[in-house]
Structures are given as C-alpha cells and as structure tokens.
Amino acid sequence: MTRQIAILHGWGDTSASFRKLERFLAAEGYDITRIWLGDYISTDDDVRIEDVARRMQAVIREKQDAGELGLHFDLIGHSTAGLVMREWAVRYYPDGQNCPVRRMLMLAPANFGSRLATVGNSFIGRATKGALNGFQTGREMLNALELGSPYQRSLVTRDLLDPGGANTGPYGPGGIWPFVITGSRGYRTISRRLVNEDGSDGTVRVPAANLNTAGITVDFTENIDIPEVRAWGSRTGGMVLPFAVLPDRDHTQIKYPGDPSGAVDEVSNRLGALILEALACETADEHQQIAARWRDVSEETAALAADTGRRRGLFRSRAPLAQEIHRYLQVVTRVRDDQGEPVNDYFIEFFSPDARSDASLLRFQNDVLDHVHVNKLDPSVRCFYIDRDDLMARFYRQRAGGKGDRQLAASIVAANPGRNIRYFDKEVQGARGYLLLHSDSEPERAALGARRLHRNATHFIDIIIPRKALNRVFRLGR
C-alpha cells in the first residue's frame, strides 16, 4: 500500500523497537519505504509532552515542505506516545479539521496514567533506569504520567470533555478517528512480575488506556443533603471510540503483532488483524462499526474470567488467572472549596445506601477497591482503582434476612482546615448527602445517566464543598 505511516515510541524507548511492526506491515502489503519511525527524548528531566508535540509539528511541516511526507498519513503510537499524539492533535487541530492524520492508532496508551510513573520518579527509578542518563528519568514526562496528574486533566478537558457543557474537539466524523488496542496480561518474566497489577498489561491499566471517558461536577455549595450534579459535555459529538482489550498481550508484546503470544493462533493473531482493520478504515460509519466489533472483542476477553476451561484451552503455556482479566474502572476525584481552593485532606466513602451498618463500606474497601493513589503534585486529587467484576459478584450479594446491597453510592468527609473554619457547616464534618453511582440492575444503571460508572473506563469527578467561618472569625460590637 502507498499510504504513509508514522510510528512513535513510548517513555524510555526508541524507534528501534518498532522494526518488527514495520516488517509486519510490509508483509501485509505496506510499502516499507513509506513508513516513518519517530524518535523523541523521553528520559531527560526538562522535556515535557508539550515540548515533544511542538517539535513534532515542526518536523512534520519540514518533511511536508520538502515533499518527503505527504499531506495525509496514518499515526501509530505506543504507551506515552498516546499523550504526545493527543497533545499534538488538540494543539494544532483543535476541531480536527485539516489535520494530516485521519487514522490515529494507539497501542496500550497511558491516556490516564500509569501506576509505575511514581516508581520511575522515585529514588529507585533514578538509581536504576536513570543510571545511564545522568540519573535523569524524564521527571516532567513522569509527572504527566502519574495517576490523576494535572496534565491529564488539562488534556482531557481540551480534547475529550468540556466541564462547561458541550464543545468541539479533534475527534469526530469529520475529524480524527482514534483507535485503541490494549492488553490485560501482565509480564511473565520473573524480573518483571513484581510490577504486575490485575486488570493491566503490567504497565498501563485497561481503563487508563480507554479514551471513552466521562466527567461530572458535584456541588455541595447550596445543599449538603442533595448536591447539584453537572455533567461534562463530550467533545467527540457522542462518537464511541474503538477500544479492544486482548487477553494475551502485555505492554511490550502489544508492539509485536507478528510474534506468538503464548496463546493459540485464534487469539495470538487477533492483534495483527485489529491493527490492519483500523488502518483500513475509510469512513466515519465504518469507524463506528469497528467500535461495536471491538467492544465485542473486549467482552469476549472479560468472559474468559468466568470460563476456566476455555481460558486454559486458549493458551499453550500458563493461562492468565481469572483476576488478571477482570474488568476494572478508575475514578479520579478532585476536591475544591467554594472559593476555588484545593482541599487535600478528605476521604471518599463508597457504600450501599441500603446498608444498616458500616459493613458495606468495609466490604467495598476489602473486596472491590484495589488501590488508591494521591497525586504528588496535587494532593486534592485521588485515583481510585475499582474491580468492577468483584463489585458485581462480591459486593452485590445477599445479606442475612434476604435483603441485599444492590446499589453503590459515595459520599465525602473532609478534615476541617483549623479551629476557625469548617467545611459543610458548623456542626457537620462531612456531607449528609451522597451520590448514587452504580447498581446491579441495568435499568437502574441506565437511569443514572452521567453519574453511572462504566467498565473499562476512567471517570472524573470534581467535588465542590462549602467553606464556613465560625462566628468568632469576625464580630461587630459597641
């Protein structure tokens, strides 16, 4: 094929690791002389994602002006490159019009962070990964990759979501067509198993890769019993972005569609077929048809968790454990007071509104909530990692007496900043009201609208709480 393709690597990587992908595409009929491999600095501490995107635009223009790069080409990126591609797209083609790229394929992109970014930015990361680079590991890049980072929030509100309502973005029928493929298999080598996390490819969580996201603002300012909930608008015009989860690929293997994955050919060959399907997409309608087919692929992967026989039969060597391929979701909360100041010391309680004790809260903490991360740059942000399969199978279960916990709600408790200031009101430390987020009943879930938590997705929740001064803060007297 004569269509040109540019391929971008991730953090700590180089273009050399994509020679296999280049050969795979050549074997499928693509002209290898028309495949470009990009390189960028990712492990020097002073380089930000925005810097790479700006330089990327300059290089593209230079190549186009020289007649080496066509006016239209496809773009493939791995891991951190997903953020670079999105930054480039929204910065230079905010409405998607006149963009030289129509098909944008992301392989295991860290769109909503990676738990390993904190390790890379730690002393251990600098002593190991940075030993050959003047003890630099790419501080600015890793800050952007940290779970719940300010950069991710800035980017998502520019290209995918609009907290103020609904606005345009770079993705849509007349703009760029994104595709995301990720794995849910952790690393299998002994040296790397320690970093594995259920529901991830060893480096990036499945919901952190998915571009189909949502956001709401929960405002307790006027009523601490019934908060106002404002849905964030979509910048994709309601378009569903194709997203496929594969059971046999880890973060490295996702780059090598021609390599066997340890599964039978039916499974191992699927990565290559999906890549070719994305690159062959010709219309916006076809893009949405692919989104529906890839959703079925993801559900097939999820179904393996409950089918031990089929799961073992599809793998030639060790099959993944059921827990490894559970469906997860992320919830990223940010709390501000009604004057716009961050609130860092707070606790989000997840519980069943039907519960008559704290038992449901404890069961959620023990059985469903796998991890909570407090962002280092903005401690008012938390990232909650929730096992959606365990929510359905273990949280929603019958209690003694026949009445079950069938709904999931959340509320907030915030520590007062001092002896003169209270959050919410003078007597109450936390909100009296709560927000219903999920149910074991599909009709009830659908009725939740923007509040509903979706499998394999990241959700942003901005919370605004009232700040009250006690009477003694100011008095008038004679």
Side-chain angles (χ1 to χ4, degrees):
M1 297 182 186
T2 59
R3 185 187 302 151
Q4 290 181 306
I5 300 174
I7 305 175
L8 307 182
H9 62 76
W11 174 81
D13 202 357
T14 69
S15 64
S17 68
F18 285 94
R19 291 298 178 186
K20 283 187 176 182
L21 177 57
E22 184 182 51
R23 291 194 293 270
F24 168 81
L25 293 172
E28 295 294 333
Y30 284 84
D31 185 348
I32 200 167
T33 65
R34 297 179 67 79
I35 297 176
W36 295 82
L37 301 180
D39 272 301
Y40 62 91
I41 293 173
S42 63
T43 55
D44 282 10
D45 287 343
D46 61 337
V47 177
R48 297 179 178 178
I49 287 173
E50 298 95 318
D51 297 322
V52 177
R54 283 193 290 266
R55 182 57 190 153
M56 175 179 166
Q57 175 71 355
V59 171
I60 288 172
R61 289 299 193 199
E62 290 169 6
K63 294 295 184 184
Q64 288 178 328
D65 290 343
E68 300 176 58
L69 187 63
L71 295 178
H72 301 285
F73 60 93
D74 294 335
L75 193 57
I76 301 176
H78 175 245
S79 194
T80 304
L83 294 175
V84 172
M85 293 154 64
R86 288 172 59 200
E87 178 66 40
W88 169 78
V90 75
R91 179 177 291 269
Y92 296 103
Y93 308 96
D95 61 359
Q97 301 300 307
N98 303 313
C99 181
V101 169
R102 176 58 60 88
R103 287 159 287 268
M104 181 184 287
L105 173 59
M106 303 180 184
L107 303 176
N111 283 314
F112 299 110
S114 169
R115 188 173 177 179
L116 296 188
T118 305
V119 177
N121 237 344
S122 68
F123 171 79
I124 295 174
R126 292 183 177 276
T128 54
K129 193 75 173 179
L132 301 178
N133 191 38
F135 296 100
Q136 298 186 83
T137 57
R139 181 183 61 248
E140 294 290 350
M141 287 274 185
L142 292 172
N143 284 341
L145 287 166
E146 185 185 348
L147 296 171
S149 75
Y151 174 76
Q152 292 165 36
R153 179 176 294 272
S154 167
L155 181 57
V156 78
T157 55
R158 286 182 288 137
D159 74 339
L160 290 169
L161 300 174
D162 182 0
N167 213 325
T168 58
Y171 316 120
I176 302 168
W177 304 334
F179 304 81
V180 176
I181 307 171
T182 197
S184 59
R185 186 81 190 270
Y187 298 115
R188 277 165 281 175
T189 58
I190 295 176
S191 61
R192 304 192 75 177
R193 284 182 190 172
L194 291 177
V195 303
N196 284 342
E197 186 177 31
D198 292 337
S200 80
D201 65 2
T203 295
V204 174
R205 296 167 173 175
V206 169
N210 191 359
L211 283 172
N212 295 293
T213 183
I216 58 174
T217 298
V218 182
D219 192 343
F220 286 94
T221 302
E222 300 298 329
N223 192 328
I224 65 174
D225 295 305
I226 305 175
E228 179 187 0
V229 179
R230 299 187 292 271
W232 296 6
S234 169
R235 292 186 182 273
T236 67
M239 185 174 73
V240 178
L241 307 182
F243 177 67
V245 183
L246 302 178
D248 61 322
R249 299 284 173 166
D250 63 31
H251 196 66
T252 297
Q253 289 178 319
I254 203 78
K255 298 184 292 184
Y256 309 137
D259 284 6
S261 65
V264 299
D265 290 347
E266 170 193 345
V267 176
S268 189
N269 294 338
R270 179 164 274 176
L271 170 60
L274 295 179
I275 290 174
L276 296 174
E277 184 177 26
L279 294 177
C281 181
E282 293 292 347
T283 67
D285 286 344
E286 188 178 354
H287 180 263
Q288 290 304 278
Q289 292 166 11
I290 292 173
R293 289 196 294 270
W294 285 19
R295 177 180 172 85
D296 291 341
V297 170
S298 300
E299 289 303 300
E300 286 179 27
T301 295
L304 293 177
D307 192 339
T308 303
R310 178 165 173 75
R311 188 172 70 251
R312 291 176 177 173
L314 291 177
F315 286 82
R316 293 191 172 94
S317 55
R318 186 186 74 84
L321 300 175
Q323 194 76 17
E324 293 180 76
I325 53 179
H326 273 192
R327 290 165 292 187
Y328 280 76
L329 58 91
Q330 286 190 150
V331 176
V332 181
T333 62
R334 184 180 71 165
V335 181
R336 295 286 188 269
D337 65 25
D338 54 7
Q339 299 175 40
E341 294 299 315
V343 178
N344 298 335
D345 193 358
Y346 66 90
F347 180 69
I348 301 293
E349 297 179 329
F350 293 91
F351 60 94
S352 168
D354 298 324
R356 285 169 274 182
S357 68
D358 291 335
S360 70
L361 188 153
L362 295 174
R363 189 161 67 254
F364 184 89
Q365 296 281 348
N366 294 331
D367 296 344
V368 181
L369 183 61
D370 276 20
H371 183 254
V372 182
H373 178 79
V374 179
N375 186 263
K376 301 298 186 295
L377 293 181
D378 186 352
S380 72
V381 176
R382 311 275 193 274
C383 181
F384 298 86
Y385 191 45
I386 296 171
D387 188 327
R388 195 263 186 188
D389 285 8
D390 279 347
L391 173 66
M392 299 297 292
R394 303 181 68 180
F395 184 80
Y396 297 143
R397 65 183 182 188
Q398 292 295 114
R399 289 202 313 259
K403 185 176 181 181
D405 294 331
R406 299 306 185 196
Q407 294 178 322
L408 177 68
S411 190
I412 179 173
V413 175
N416 293 321
R419 67 189 187 95
N420 297 306
I421 304 297
R422 297 288 184 268
Y423 291 125
F424 296 103
D425 66 24
K426 298 174 183 178
E427 289 79 30
V428 180
Q429 188 174 23
R432 282 195 292 258
Y434 60 81
L435 192 68
L436 197 61
L437 297 173
H438 201 267
S439 169
D440 74 337
S441 164
E442 173 55 35
E444 289 185 6
R445 288 198 296 272
L448 292 173
R451 292 176 291 162
R452 174 181 177 174
L453 299 180
H454 293 272
R455 68 196 75 176
N456 292 338
T458 295
H459 301 261
F460 290 86
I461 302 180
D462 277 3
I463 303 172
I464 303 172
I465 62 177
R467 176 185 174 102
K468 306 287 187 180
L470 297 185
N471 293 344
R472 63 172 174 261
V473 169
F474 179 82
R475 292 188 177 96
L476 281 177
R478 287 185 176 274

